[in-house]
Amino acid sequence: FLETGTGKITVVDILEEQWANEWKKYYKPITIGSNIVIKPTWEAYNEDDSKLIIEMDPGMAFGTGTHETTSMCVELLENYVKENHTVLDIGTGSGILGIVCAKLGAKQIIGVDIDEMAVKVANENITLNSVEHQMKAVTGDLLEVVTQKSDIVVSNIIADVIINLSSQVQDVVAKDGIWIASGIIDLRIDDVLEAMEKNGWVIKQKVQQKEWFALVVTRGIVYA
């Protein structure tokens, strides 16, 4: 009862430069939360002194601010980051979340990613936003390259990685610190919650946008 068509498959060669830049037509400045604007470097924006402007060229790295998982993290960071906080951004991608933290006043941010290209892009964006005195991005797995504890740990990845991290992040989060974990599809939220409870995390906040969840968790007692 369905019109199946011919089933013909067509393959067309496209120059790398063409597909690598075509998406830029659709990436426009966006406001996230109450005070943060993500602005592509190639787009004009009417300056507003009341806003924190994040210049962003994600290149081939994840993190434009348009996806629900990223925007939830930005909104949560806007609520939780305080001046002089230290932050660890696991899976930093384009560096967008760490740069947001720097603009919010965090004194030291380390972005970690296993993808060397992502780290290159992140460091370029760090320089572009003039926050290199606060943030740096490095290549490697979490505990291989980071040992110091941070006030805030943020990871916008996928559910399986977050489940694995739930037994490791306690080693890099400060006492009374928080872990913001995003990138959790609704079909996996129960699995993530189970792993968090098993590894001694307390759910401080759970937010949802469409089919995606983000969690704010702490160790032990939750303070109001």
Side-chain angles (χ1 to χ4, degrees):
F1 62 93
L2 294 176
E3 180 59 50
T4 60
T6 63
K8 181 180 179 181
I9 299 173
T10 301
V11 178
V12 179
D13 288 332
I14 299 176
L15 294 174
E16 181 178 358
E17 293 81 3
Q18 184 178 347
W19 65 258
N21 292 295
E22 185 69 16
W23 62 273
K24 291 184 177 181
K25 297 177 182 178
Y26 311 100
Y27 185 26
K28 303 295 182 181
I30 56 172
T31 300
I32 303 177
S34 60
N35 203 40
I36 296 171
V37 174
I38 310 298
K39 186 190 87 65
T41 56
W42 56 88
E43 286 287 328
Y45 179 77
N46 293 327
E47 295 296 328
D48 183 344
D49 292 339
S50 68
K51 302 292 184 182
L52 296 178
I53 311 298
I54 313 296
E55 296 274 355
M56 188 57 49
D57 186 348
M60 301 297 289
F62 180 80
T64 61
T66 57
H67 196 273
E68 290 84 2
T69 59
T70 310
S71 62
M72 284 190 292
C73 282
V74 171
E75 291 180 11
L76 289 169
L77 289 168
E78 189 176 20
N79 290 332
Y80 284 101
V81 172
K82 306 298 181 186
E83 189 173 353
N84 292 324
H85 265 167
T86 55
V87 179
L88 173 60
D89 179 11
I90 304 173
T92 192
S94 67
I96 184 171
L97 298 179
I99 293 168
V100 166
C101 292
K103 294 283 188 175
L104 289 169
K107 69 177 180 181
Q108 182 184 58
I109 307 102
I110 299 175
V112 179
D113 206 296
I114 59 173
D115 184 347
E116 291 185 1
M117 178 56 68
V119 171
K120 179 178 181 294
V121 169
N123 280 315
E124 289 171 353
N125 283 316
I126 289 167
T127 300
L128 185 64
N129 285 275
S130 302
V131 295
E132 58 267 37
H133 62 293
Q134 296 163 270
M135 181 178 178
K136 66 177 180 179
V138 296
T139 306
D141 284 328
L142 172 60
L143 296 180
E144 292 179 357
V145 293
V146 177
T147 56
Q148 65 266 41
K149 296 180 182 292
S150 296
D151 297 302
I152 295 177
V153 176
V154 58
S155 53
N156 181 23
I157 315 182
I158 59 173
D160 285 334
V161 177
I162 290 170
I163 289 171
N164 289 335
L165 287 174
S166 65
S167 63
Q168 304 176 51
V169 170
Q170 69 270 14
D171 294 333
V172 290
V173 65
K175 182 181 179 181
D176 299 330
I178 62 167
W179 174 22
I180 298 173
S182 186
I184 308 164
I185 193 72
D186 53 7
L187 296 174
R188 302 301 310 281
I189 184 62
D190 289 339
D191 296 332
V192 173
L193 291 172
E194 180 181 353
M196 291 292 188
E197 181 179 1
K198 176 182 176 181
N199 287 287
W201 296 98
V202 175
I203 307 301
K204 182 180 179 71
Q205 188 176 357
K206 180 171 71 172
V207 295
Q208 181 179 8
Q209 288 186 15
K210 295 183 179 179
E211 69 269 34
W212 298 98
F213 282 90
L215 302 174
V216 181
V217 300
T218 64
R219 303 292 289 181
I221 299 173
V222 176
Y223 296 95

